[in-house]
Amino acid sequence: MTTKKLYDLDSYLKECSAKVISCEAVQKNGLEGFAVELDQTCFFPEGGGQPADIGQIICGEEAIPVLYTYEQGEQIFHLCSREIQPGLQVTARIDFVPRFANMQIHSGEHILSGTILKEMGLHNVGFHMGHDFNTIDLDGEITPEQSAELEAKVNAIVCENRPVFVSYPSAEELPQIPLRKKPEVENLRVVEIENCDWCGCCGTHVALTGEIGLIKIIDTQRYKGGTRLSFLCGAAALADCAEKCRSLKNICVSLSCKPQEAFSNVEKLKAELSEKKQALAAKNKQLFSLLAKQLCESAEPFGTDRLVFVCDDSLSADELKTFAAQISSNEKTVGALFSCQNGVVSYALCRSKDAAVDLKALGKHLNQSLNGKGGGSNELCCGRLPSCKEEEIRSALRAF
């Protein structure tokens, strides 16, 4: 039996009366429940990049949650949390808050796609509505400057409050419509945004572009030879702008600057930090050189070589390598340096050019003994070990 789609011509219909046709236990979309088929529905099933409606089916005094809505052939099924007896007359009621958000997003996508095709000659080759943001995949690249111009143009269309029409053109009328996208289906449903976009579409839309409120492009990035454009509409776009304004204000308060000065101030801080890091690295190199000489004087025998053992949790992985380079500049010396941070032990093994030890074999032995991972050359091996005590490390080295 074909389900009558009441949302097709009225996206604002929040509830309807219906008769239960069938009900069967199913697993769908990672959910378990009962697939309830109605003779007619205002619930939109997932499709065309748009998520499924959720809501309730009112059966007597009980409101039964609808967890998901999907379509199979000409039938629409409502995944309910419990069984509903076929033949009963019920009321289907959608959760209109997410539905209206989807209407804003879908109409916003049509405005974006139509404007991009008209202004840039690029086609929408993929559309997805997500929990955090929505994406359009384009078959070409756009620059940040083009993105800014595009955002201004689409929001001008929103402000003009243009009407959005839904129709089912006849076979004679269809060739006269400048369709952006024509799905190969019978009885094509066309969504028109006045003087902007004409597209075959099964989704729900606003009646006037002003209801979208705001279209905000939040990112563009290269994707599969084209561009993936991420955007938000309506309340979600406003919330995103508000959050970013709060973040910018906090940054400005912290830097004691005006919003328009924030970026240059951050760049200045980055440059200063880079300079200080370089200066610190140079001083560390000098310090490590002096320490290496002292430690080599008291190094313990290690086969025909001597072993410098360092266990210092204040050293970063990069500092371990810098220190190791200074140790390996001494004759007949093997270095084993360790630092434990956040429950992970970083290590660096090194050897002087005249040392006899097989450093790669030593690294492999250490990893096998202490369940570590890492590798390198016969001059420097680096890796990580699970948190362990200093004596366990020393014992593993002695066993080599």
Side-chain angles (χ1 to χ4, degrees):
M1 178 178 176
T2 300
T3 308
K4 187 176 181 181
K5 303 173 181 179
L6 301 178
Y7 56 82
D8 255 2
L9 296 176
D10 186 0
S11 296
Y12 295 84
L13 186 64
K14 299 179 179 67
E15 64 177 60
C16 68
S17 61
K19 182 180 179 181
V20 178
I21 303 301
S22 67
C23 180
E24 294 182 358
V26 296
Q27 287 185 336
K28 196 74 176 178
N29 200 38
L31 300 169
E32 291 187 4
F34 295 86
V36 176
E37 179 189 1
L38 305 176
D39 64 339
Q40 61 179 10
T41 187
C42 54
F43 278 74
F44 178 82
E46 182 177 24
Q50 181 172 327
D53 281 337
I54 56 173
Q56 300 171 327
I57 290 179
I58 313 300
C59 185
E61 299 294 320
E62 185 179 3
I64 301 166
V66 176
L67 310 174
Y68 180 66
T69 311
Y70 62 98
E71 188 171 20
Q72 287 184 347
E74 297 297 319
Q75 299 166 291
I76 294 175
F77 295 93
H78 311 73
L79 187 65
C80 294
S81 59
R82 80 159 183 81
E83 188 175 8
I84 303 177
Q85 185 68 32
L88 289 178
Q89 198 71 23
V90 297
T91 298
R93 180 180 298 157
I94 66 171
D95 184 343
F96 194 69
V97 172
R99 155 66 79 82
F100 186 66
N102 289 340
M103 291 161 61
Q104 291 175 306
I105 294 165
H106 213 148
S107 296
E109 178 267 317
H110 278 225
I111 294 175
L112 280 163
S113 298
T115 305
I116 289 169
L117 180 60
K118 180 180 178 182
E119 300 292 333
M120 305 174 193
L122 301 181
H123 296 85
N124 175 341
V125 293
F127 168 52
H128 176 70
M129 292 189 194
H131 293 294
D132 299 319
F133 53 86
N134 317 289
T135 60
I136 297 172
D137 293 336
L138 304 170
D139 61 357
E141 294 187 14
I142 64 174
T143 66
E145 293 76 20
Q146 288 176 312
S147 176
E149 291 174 8
L150 172 64
E151 186 174 84
K153 288 176 180 178
V154 297
N155 279 291
I157 294 171
V158 170
C159 292
E160 289 166 10
N161 206 28
R162 298 186 190 181
V164 179
F165 305 105
V166 175
S167 63
Y168 285 87
S170 66
E172 293 74 26
E173 294 170 322
L174 203 54
Q176 310 304 316
I177 300 173
L179 287 173
R180 170 173 56 85
K181 185 181 293 185
K182 182 184 176 182
E184 296 300 322
V185 297
E186 295 182 7
N187 197 25
L188 183 66
R189 180 177 183 262
V190 174
V191 174
E192 173 192 350
I193 297 175
E194 188 177 69
N195 297 324
C196 174
D197 187 58
W198 295 259
C199 186
C201 178
C202 65
T204 56
H205 292 266
V206 297
L208 297 163
T209 60
E211 295 179 76
I212 298 169
L214 173 66
I215 300 174
K216 183 63 185 172
I217 298 173
I218 58 174
D219 189 32
T220 56
Q221 56 183 306
R222 289 180 179 177
Y223 182 74
K224 292 185 177 180
T227 300
R228 171 161 284 182
L229 182 150
S230 301
F231 71 100
L232 295 169
C233 292
L238 180 61
D240 181 72
C241 290
E243 177 58 32
K244 287 173 180 173
C245 283
R246 283 192 292 271
S247 296
L248 178 59
K249 182 179 179 181
N250 290 337
I251 291 170
C252 291
V253 169
S254 179
L255 298 178
S256 299
C257 69
K258 297 177 182 178
Q260 57 269 32
E261 299 169 345
F263 179 75
S264 60
N265 279 22
V266 169
E267 288 296 299
K268 182 181 178 182
L269 285 174
K270 284 172 61 180
E272 290 174 355
L273 179 61
S274 178
E275 289 179 7
K276 292 186 183 298
K277 281 184 174 181
Q278 290 177 14
L280 180 61
K283 289 181 179 179
N284 277 344
K285 186 176 180 180
Q286 292 177 336
L287 176 61
F288 291 150
S289 178
L290 292 171
L291 286 174
K293 289 178 181 178
Q294 292 178 358
L295 291 170
C296 285
E297 291 174 0
S298 59
E300 59 189 89
F302 193 69
T304 59
D305 302 315
R306 54 183 179 171
L307 175 68
V308 173
F309 182 89
V310 176
C311 193
D312 185 343
D313 295 345
S314 69
L315 299 177
S316 68
D318 285 338
E319 288 171 335
L320 289 178
K321 289 188 233 179
T322 303
F323 201 172
Q326 298 304 312
I327 291 172
S328 64
S329 65
N330 293 273
E331 295 179 355
K332 302 287 286 182
T333 303
V334 178
L337 300 88
F338 302 86
S339 176
C340 183
Q341 295 180 353
N342 301 317
V344 176
V345 177
S346 297
Y347 72 80
L349 304 177
C350 64
R351 50 156 272 178
S352 56
K353 290 183 179 179
D354 59 352
V357 72
D358 184 339
L359 199 70
K360 293 177 73 173
L362 177 59
K364 184 177 180 181
H365 167 76
L366 190 67
N367 289 332
Q368 289 176 341
S369 301
L370 298 173
N371 297 314
K373 290 184 179 179
S377 67
N378 210 32
E379 279 69 48
L380 178 67
C381 290
C382 299
R384 291 185 173 188
L385 308 171
S387 181
C388 53
K389 296 178 180 179
E390 180 179 332
E391 183 52 40
E392 293 178 282
I393 298 172
R394 285 184 177 276
S395 179
L397 291 173
R398 284 194 295 268
F400 177 67

